Amino acid sequence: MKIIGIAAGLHEGSFINRLLDAAGGELPEGVGFQVWPGLGEMPPYAAGPVPAPVRKLLGLLAASDAVLMTAPEHSLLPGELIHTLDWMSAGDALTGKHVAVMSASARACGAMWAQAELYKRLQAAGAVVMGAELVISPACPHFDEDGYLADPALRRQVRAVITQLCPAEVMEPALLL
């Protein structure tokens, strides 16, 4: 199984980017994981030739079995993520694809609203969406010096999301009519 990771954060080292990297370390043995770093390069959707960064992402998605995403820490989706979702939707890259979403915020409402908006867009693109909202403070030390999850409670929450995603063959999407 191969999973592509997409973080909704544009700031390298942000909590949700670190959470996505750490989640990759929690995957079962034999599951490949690659974080896609191109969010900041995504142009707005436009009919016509597909730009190179979009072609690269669509190729990664076509070669993957599932997607693990982190939603923003605040209540709004960044424009670059909206552009990315528009391109993936237009290219049918998410149709039937299993997508797990995690969000984390010090305030429950911020993560909840961002995740709800992300869920709507993913479902509209045909994705089979699952995941959990992790209401935790990004200020607390949840990571060890190597970037792995040090907090046992957070580790259990992240593994619960991954457990939903990894047995993808058990969770087949509904038939499209």
Side-chain angles (χ1 to χ4, degrees):
M1 181 170 194
K2 182 177 179 185
I3 297 174
I4 300 300
I6 299 176
L10 293 168
H11 306 292
E12 190 172 325
S14 73
F15 183 80
I16 58 171
N17 288 19
R18 292 177 66 204
L19 180 61
L20 182 65
D21 290 338
E26 299 297 323
L27 292 168
E29 189 174 320
V31 176
F33 183 66
Q34 177 181 356
V35 175
W36 172 70
L39 187 66
E41 302 170 17
M42 294 305 282
Y45 174 78
V50 178
V54 176
R55 285 194 311 272
K56 183 175 181 178
L57 173 61
L58 295 179
L60 286 172
L61 289 169
S64 73
D65 299 299
V67 178
L68 179 59
M69 295 184 78
T70 53
E73 299 168 40
H74 45 78
S75 59
L76 300 173
L77 299 182
E80 294 84 354
L81 180 60
I82 292 171
H83 301 327
T84 301
L85 293 166
D86 289 345
W87 281 107
M88 290 188 299
S89 182
D92 285 330
L94 294 176
T95 302
K97 187 78 66 178
H98 290 85
V99 180
V101 178
M102 295 184 298
S103 59
S105 177
R107 294 183 315 246
C109 291
M112 177 181 67
W113 292 332
Q115 190 164 348
E117 182 63 26
L118 186 54
Y119 271 30
K120 283 191 316 189
R121 290 177 178 271
L122 289 167
Q123 288 172 333
V128 179
V129 186
M130 56 205 71
E133 179 184 346
L134 312 175
V135 184
I136 55 178
S137 173
C140 294
H142 297 292
F143 306 98
D144 65 19
E145 60 275 354
D146 296 321
Y148 293 104
L149 295 171
D151 179 355
L154 178 57
R155 191 174 213 178
R156 282 191 299 277
Q157 290 175 308
V158 168
R159 285 183 175 180
V161 172
I162 290 169
T163 299
Q164 294 175 29
L165 186 62
C166 284
E169 62 274 3
V170 175
M171 303 169 70
E172 290 299 321
L175 293 176
L176 301 175
L177 300 177

